[in-house]
Amino acid sequence: QVQLVESGGGLVQAGGSLRLSCAASGRTFSRYFVGWFRQAPGKEREFVAGINWSDIDTYYANSVKGRFTISRDNAKNTVYLQMNSLKPEDTAVYYCAATNRVYGNSPRMYDYWGQGTQVTVSS
């Protein structure tokens, strides 16, 4: 069983930065693939970034590539999402999720979810 808690969301101007954190409980968290998703009002939840357990392989949606960086610190049971050059279209609730699979870019592939953190980017 894994429990996830996101933090770090807030209101920022376009061009600004935020760092989201996903703190996990569970002794085996380091073996899970972790993804960040986001969901804007009226839209489906979409994959943003993912990282495998070894912190070697990372994956990004095209819309955030070059602006967002995902990383993890298994000693702290935490995964981060550094978001730079934010745009108004990045506004959404951001969720972290964990899966036993070796990779996941769809919400249905994930077993555990956090409660989400709101990110609002003003123009």
Side-chain angles (χ1 to χ4, degrees):
Q1 190 78 7
V2 175
Q3 293 183 326
L4 305 172
V5 178
E6 303 95 334
S7 62
L11 173 64
V12 64
Q13 289 188 333
S17 299
L18 283 174
R19 188 176 81 156
L20 305 183
S21 298
C22 174
S25 62
R27 293 180 298 171
T28 60
F29 175 70
S30 62
R31 295 295 179 178
Y32 285 79
F33 186 96
V34 176
W36 282 98
F37 289 78
R38 66 187 181 187
Q39 188 166 19
K43 294 189 176 181
E44 293 186 351
R45 192 167 298 188
E46 65 174 358
F47 175 78
V48 174
I51 188 167
N52 73 340
W53 69 272
S54 66
D55 198 11
I56 293 177
D57 297 321
T58 57
Y59 307 86
Y60 298 94
N62 287 335
S63 59
V64 307
K65 201 171 293 184
R67 300 188 298 121
F68 291 10
T69 302
I70 189 171
S71 62
R72 68 191 297 166
D73 185 339
N74 287 333
K76 295 182 178 180
N77 273 6
T78 302
V79 173
Y80 305 97
L81 185 68
Q82 177 68 42
M83 307 187 295
N84 299 329
S85 302
L86 283 161
K87 305 175 181 180
E89 51 263 44
D90 294 318
T91 295
V93 177
Y94 283 70
Y95 300 89
C96 69
T99 177
N100 281 314
R101 300 172 186 261
V102 296
Y103 170 77
N105 65 348
S106 172
R108 65 179 181 272
M109 301 170 78
Y110 285 77
D111 306 298
Y112 305 102
W113 291 86
Q115 82 290 348
T117 186
Q118 175 71 46
V119 171
T120 303
V121 184
S122 63
S123 58

Short mmCIF file of all heavy atoms in Angstrom, two decimals, residues 3-43:
data_model
loop_
_atom_site.label_atom_id
_atom_site.label_comp_id
_atom_site.label_asym_id
_atom_site.label_seq_id
_atom_site.Cartn_x
_atom_site.Cartn_y
_atom_site.Cartn_z
N GLN A 3 0.63 5.58 0.05
CA GLN A 3 -0.15 6.81 0.17
C GLN A 3 0.68 7.98 -0.33
O GLN A 3 1.86 8.09 0.01
CB GLN A 3 -0.59 7.03 1.61
CG GLN A 3 -1.59 5.98 2.10
CD GLN A 3 -2.08 6.24 3.52
OE1 GLN A 3 -1.33 6.73 4.34
NE2 GLN A 3 -3.33 5.91 3.77
N LEU A 4 0.05 8.84 -1.12
CA LEU A 4 0.76 9.94 -1.76
C LEU A 4 0.14 11.27 -1.34
O LEU A 4 -1.09 11.39 -1.33
CB LEU A 4 0.68 9.79 -3.28
CG LEU A 4 1.19 8.46 -3.85
CD1 LEU A 4 0.88 8.38 -5.34
CD2 LEU A 4 2.66 8.30 -3.61
N VAL A 5 0.98 12.26 -1.07
CA VAL A 5 0.51 13.60 -0.71
C VAL A 5 1.30 14.62 -1.51
O VAL A 5 2.54 14.70 -1.38
CB VAL A 5 0.68 13.86 0.79
CG1 VAL A 5 0.21 15.27 1.12
CG2 VAL A 5 -0.10 12.84 1.61
N GLU A 6 0.59 15.40 -2.33
CA GLU A 6 1.22 16.44 -3.13
C GLU A 6 1.25 17.76 -2.36
O GLU A 6 0.39 18.03 -1.52
CB GLU A 6 0.49 16.68 -4.45
CG GLU A 6 0.34 15.47 -5.33
CD GLU A 6 -0.98 14.77 -5.14
OE1 GLU A 6 -1.56 14.90 -4.05
OE2 GLU A 6 -1.45 14.10 -6.08
N SER A 7 2.23 18.59 -2.69
CA SER A 7 2.31 19.93 -2.14
C SER A 7 3.10 20.80 -3.11
O SER A 7 3.73 20.29 -4.03
CB SER A 7 2.98 19.92 -0.76
OG SER A 7 4.32 19.45 -0.86
N GLY A 8 3.03 22.12 -2.88
CA GLY A 8 3.83 23.02 -3.68
C GLY A 8 3.06 23.81 -4.72
O GLY A 8 3.63 24.66 -5.41
N GLY A 9 1.79 23.53 -4.87
CA GLY A 9 1.00 24.28 -5.84
C GLY A 9 0.76 25.71 -5.38
O GLY A 9 1.08 26.08 -4.25
N GLY A 10 0.21 26.51 -6.28
CA GLY A 10 -0.07 27.89 -5.93
C GLY A 10 -0.36 28.72 -7.15
O GLY A 10 -0.58 28.20 -8.24
N LEU A 11 -0.35 30.04 -6.95
CA LEU A 11 -0.60 31.00 -8.01
C LEU A 11 0.72 31.63 -8.43
O LEU A 11 1.48 32.09 -7.57
CB LEU A 11 -1.57 32.07 -7.52
CG LEU A 11 -1.83 33.27 -8.45
CD1 LEU A 11 -2.51 32.81 -9.72
CD2 LEU A 11 -2.67 34.31 -7.72
N VAL A 12 0.99 31.65 -9.71
CA VAL A 12 2.23 32.21 -10.23
C VAL A 12 1.95 32.92 -11.54
O VAL A 12 1.01 32.55 -12.26
CB VAL A 12 3.29 31.08 -10.40
CG1 VAL A 12 2.85 30.08 -11.45
CG2 VAL A 12 4.66 31.65 -10.71
N GLN A 13 2.74 33.92 -11.84
CA GLN A 13 2.60 34.62 -13.11
C GLN A 13 3.24 33.82 -14.23
O GLN A 13 4.16 33.02 -14.01
CB GLN A 13 3.24 36.00 -13.03
CG GLN A 13 2.47 36.99 -12.15
CD GLN A 13 3.03 38.39 -12.24
OE1 GLN A 13 4.21 38.58 -12.51
NE2 GLN A 13 2.18 39.38 -12.00
N ALA A 14 2.77 34.06 -15.43
CA ALA A 14 3.35 33.40 -16.60
C ALA A 14 4.85 33.70 -16.65
O ALA A 14 5.29 34.82 -16.38
CB ALA A 14 2.68 33.91 -17.87
N GLY A 15 5.61 32.66 -16.96
CA GLY A 15 7.06 32.76 -16.98
C GLY A 15 7.71 32.37 -15.67
O GLY A 15 8.93 32.21 -15.60
N GLY A 16 6.92 32.22 -14.63
CA GLY A 16 7.44 31.88 -13.32
C GLY A 16 7.67 30.39 -13.15
O GLY A 16 7.51 29.60 -14.10
N SER A 17 8.04 30.02 -11.93
CA SER A 17 8.38 28.63 -11.63
C SER A 17 7.69 28.17 -10.35
O SER A 17 7.40 28.97 -9.46
CB SER A 17 9.90 28.48 -11.45
OG SER A 17 10.59 28.81 -12.62
N LEU A 18 7.46 26.87 -10.28
CA LEU A 18 6.98 26.21 -9.08
C LEU A 18 7.64 24.84 -9.00
O LEU A 18 7.97 24.25 -10.04
CB LEU A 18 5.45 26.02 -9.10
CG LEU A 18 4.55 27.22 -8.82
CD1 LEU A 18 3.11 26.83 -9.04
CD2 LEU A 18 4.76 27.74 -7.40
N ARG A 19 7.79 24.35 -7.78
CA ARG A 19 8.25 22.97 -7.61
C ARG A 19 7.22 22.21 -6.80
O ARG A 19 6.93 22.58 -5.65
CB ARG A 19 9.60 22.89 -6.91
CG ARG A 19 10.15 21.46 -6.92
CD ARG A 19 11.54 21.34 -6.32
NE ARG A 19 11.51 21.30 -4.87
CZ ARG A 19 12.48 20.77 -4.11
NH1 ARG A 19 13.54 20.23 -4.70
NH2 ARG A 19 12.39 20.79 -2.81
N LEU A 20 6.67 21.18 -7.41
CA LEU A 20 5.73 20.32 -6.73
C LEU A 20 6.47 19.15 -6.08
O LEU A 20 7.47 18.66 -6.61
CB LEU A 20 4.69 19.78 -7.71
CG LEU A 20 3.91 20.80 -8.53
CD1 LEU A 20 2.87 20.10 -9.39
CD2 LEU A 20 3.27 21.84 -7.64
N SER A 21 5.96 18.73 -4.95
CA SER A 21 6.51 17.58 -4.26
C SER A 21 5.42 16.53 -4.08
O SER A 21 4.25 16.85 -3.88
CB SER A 21 7.06 17.96 -2.88
OG SER A 21 8.11 18.89 -2.99
N CYS A 22 5.82 15.29 -4.12
CA CYS A 22 4.92 14.16 -3.89
C CYS A 22 5.58 13.27 -2.84
O CYS A 22 6.56 12.58 -3.14
CB CYS A 22 4.70 13.39 -5.18
SG CYS A 22 3.75 11.86 -5.00
N ALA A 23 5.06 13.35 -1.62
CA ALA A 23 5.62 12.57 -0.52
C ALA A 23 4.85 11.27 -0.39
O ALA A 23 3.61 11.27 -0.39
CB ALA A 23 5.56 13.37 0.77
N ALA A 24 5.57 10.18 -0.25
CA ALA A 24 4.94 8.86 -0.21
C ALA A 24 5.23 8.14 1.08
O ALA A 24 6.29 8.30 1.68
CB ALA A 24 5.44 8.02 -1.38
N SER A 25 4.28 7.35 1.48
CA SER A 25 4.50 6.42 2.59
C SER A 25 4.52 5.02 2.02
O SER A 25 3.92 4.75 0.98
CB SER A 25 3.37 6.54 3.63
OG SER A 25 2.13 6.19 3.04
N GLY A 26 5.22 4.12 2.68
CA GLY A 26 5.31 2.76 2.16
C GLY A 26 6.75 2.38 1.95
O GLY A 26 7.51 3.11 1.33
N ARG A 27 7.12 1.24 2.46
CA ARG A 27 8.52 0.84 2.43
C ARG A 27 9.03 0.56 1.02
O ARG A 27 10.21 0.69 0.75
CB ARG A 27 8.71 -0.41 3.28
CG ARG A 27 8.50 -0.19 4.77
CD ARG A 27 8.70 -1.48 5.52
NE ARG A 27 7.74 -2.50 5.11
CZ ARG A 27 7.81 -3.77 5.48
NH1 ARG A 27 8.80 -4.18 6.26
NH2 ARG A 27 6.91 -4.64 5.08
N THR A 28 8.13 0.19 0.10
CA THR A 28 8.58 -0.21 -1.23
C THR A 28 8.37 0.87 -2.27
O THR A 28 8.40 0.60 -3.46
CB THR A 28 7.86 -1.48 -1.67
OG1 THR A 28 6.45 -1.23 -1.71
CG2 THR A 28 8.17 -2.63 -0.74
N PHE A 29 8.17 2.10 -1.83
CA PHE A 29 7.91 3.18 -2.78
C PHE A 29 9.01 3.30 -3.81
O PHE A 29 8.76 3.63 -4.97
CB PHE A 29 7.73 4.50 -2.03
CG PHE A 29 7.56 5.68 -2.94
CD1 PHE A 29 6.40 5.84 -3.67
CD2 PHE A 29 8.56 6.63 -3.08
CE1 PHE A 29 6.22 6.92 -4.51
CE2 PHE A 29 8.39 7.73 -3.92
CZ PHE A 29 7.22 7.87 -4.63
N SER A 30 10.23 3.05 -3.42
CA SER A 30 11.35 3.23 -4.34
C SER A 30 11.25 2.32 -5.56
O SER A 30 11.92 2.54 -6.55
CB SER A 30 12.67 2.99 -3.62
OG SER A 30 12.72 1.66 -3.14
N ARG A 31 10.41 1.27 -5.51
CA ARG A 31 10.30 0.34 -6.62
C ARG A 31 9.16 0.69 -7.58
O ARG A 31 8.96 0.01 -8.57
CB ARG A 31 10.10 -1.08 -6.09
CG ARG A 31 11.30 -1.59 -5.31
CD ARG A 31 12.52 -1.74 -6.19
NE ARG A 31 13.69 -2.19 -5.47
CZ ARG A 31 14.86 -2.43 -6.04
NH1 ARG A 31 15.02 -2.24 -7.33
NH2 ARG A 31 15.88 -2.85 -5.32
N TYR A 32 8.43 1.75 -7.30
CA TYR A 32 7.30 2.12 -8.15
C TYR A 32 7.72 3.12 -9.22
O TYR A 32 8.56 4.00 -8.99
CB TYR A 32 6.19 2.76 -7.30
CG TYR A 32 5.40 1.78 -6.48
CD1 TYR A 32 5.90 1.28 -5.29
CD2 TYR A 32 4.13 1.37 -6.89
CE1 TYR A 32 5.16 0.38 -4.53
CE2 TYR A 32 3.39 0.49 -6.13
CZ TYR A 32 3.91 0.00 -4.95
OH TYR A 32 3.19 -0.89 -4.21
N PHE A 33 7.09 3.00 -10.38
CA PHE A 33 7.15 4.06 -11.38
C PHE A 33 6.18 5.14 -10.93
O PHE A 33 5.04 4.85 -10.56
CB PHE A 33 6.75 3.49 -12.74
CG PHE A 33 6.91 4.48 -13.87
CD1 PHE A 33 8.05 4.46 -14.65
CD2 PHE A 33 5.91 5.40 -14.17
CE1 PHE A 33 8.21 5.36 -15.70
CE2 PHE A 33 6.06 6.29 -15.20
CZ PHE A 33 7.21 6.27 -15.97
N VAL A 34 6.62 6.40 -10.96
CA VAL A 34 5.78 7.50 -10.49
C VAL A 34 5.52 8.47 -11.63
O VAL A 34 6.44 8.83 -12.38
CB VAL A 34 6.46 8.24 -9.31
CG1 VAL A 34 5.63 9.44 -8.89
CG2 VAL A 34 6.64 7.28 -8.14
N GLY A 35 4.29 8.88 -11.74
CA GLY A 35 3.92 9.84 -12.77
C GLY A 35 3.24 11.06 -12.19
O GLY A 35 2.65 11.01 -11.10
N TRP A 36 3.37 12.17 -12.91
CA TRP A 36 2.59 13.38 -12.62
C TRP A 36 1.56 13.53 -13.73
O TRP A 36 1.88 13.39 -14.92
CB TRP A 36 3.48 14.61 -12.58
CG TRP A 36 4.28 14.77 -11.32
CD1 TRP A 36 5.57 14.41 -11.11
CD2 TRP A 36 3.83 15.35 -10.09
NE1 TRP A 36 5.96 14.71 -9.83
CE2 TRP A 36 4.91 15.30 -9.19
CE3 TRP A 36 2.63 15.90 -9.67
CZ2 TRP A 36 4.81 15.79 -7.88
CZ3 TRP A 36 2.54 16.38 -8.37
CH2 TRP A 36 3.61 16.33 -7.49
N PHE A 37 0.35 13.81 -13.32
CA PHE A 37 -0.75 14.07 -14.24
C PHE A 37 -1.34 15.43 -13.90
O PHE A 37 -1.12 15.96 -12.80
CB PHE A 37 -1.83 12.99 -14.11
CG PHE A 37 -1.43 11.65 -14.65
CD1 PHE A 37 -0.61 10.81 -13.93
CD2 PHE A 37 -1.88 11.23 -15.88
CE1 PHE A 37 -0.22 9.57 -14.43
CE2 PHE A 37 -1.52 10.00 -16.40
CZ PHE A 37 -0.69 9.17 -15.67
N ARG A 38 -2.14 15.96 -14.82
CA ARG A 38 -2.86 17.19 -14.51
C ARG A 38 -4.24 17.12 -15.15
O ARG A 38 -4.45 16.44 -16.15
CB ARG A 38 -2.09 18.41 -14.99
CG ARG A 38 -1.93 18.52 -16.50
CD ARG A 38 -1.01 19.69 -16.83
NE ARG A 38 -0.85 19.87 -18.27
CZ ARG A 38 0.01 20.73 -18.82
NH1 ARG A 38 0.77 21.50 -18.05
NH2 ARG A 38 0.09 20.83 -20.14
N GLN A 39 -5.13 17.87 -14.55
CA GLN A 39 -6.49 17.91 -15.05
C GLN A 39 -7.03 19.33 -14.93
O GLN A 39 -7.14 19.88 -13.83
CB GLN A 39 -7.40 16.94 -14.30
CG GLN A 39 -8.77 16.79 -14.90
CD GLN A 39 -9.51 15.59 -14.35
OE1 GLN A 39 -9.18 15.05 -13.30
NE2 GLN A 39 -10.52 15.13 -15.09
N ALA A 40 -7.34 19.92 -16.07
CA ALA A 40 -7.94 21.24 -16.12
C ALA A 40 -9.45 21.10 -16.15
O ALA A 40 -9.97 20.04 -16.55
CB ALA A 40 -7.44 21.98 -17.36
N PRO A 41 -10.19 22.12 -15.75
CA PRO A 41 -11.65 22.04 -15.74
C PRO A 41 -12.19 21.67 -17.11
O PRO A 41 -11.81 22.26 -18.14
CB PRO A 41 -12.08 23.46 -15.34
CG PRO A 41 -10.93 23.98 -14.55
CD PRO A 41 -9.71 23.41 -15.19
N GLY A 42 -13.06 20.68 -17.15
CA GLY A 42 -13.68 20.26 -18.39
C GLY A 42 -12.82 19.41 -19.29
O GLY A 42 -13.24 19.08 -20.41
N LYS A 43 -11.62 19.07 -18.83
CA LYS A 43 -10.71 18.28 -19.66
C LYS A 43 -10.38 16.96 -18.97
O LYS A 43 -10.54 16.81 -17.77
CB LYS A 43 -9.43 19.06 -19.94
CG LYS A 43 -9.66 20.30 -20.80
CD LYS A 43 -8.34 20.91 -21.22
CE LYS A 43 -8.55 22.10 -22.15
NZ LYS A 43 -7.27 22.69 -22.59
#
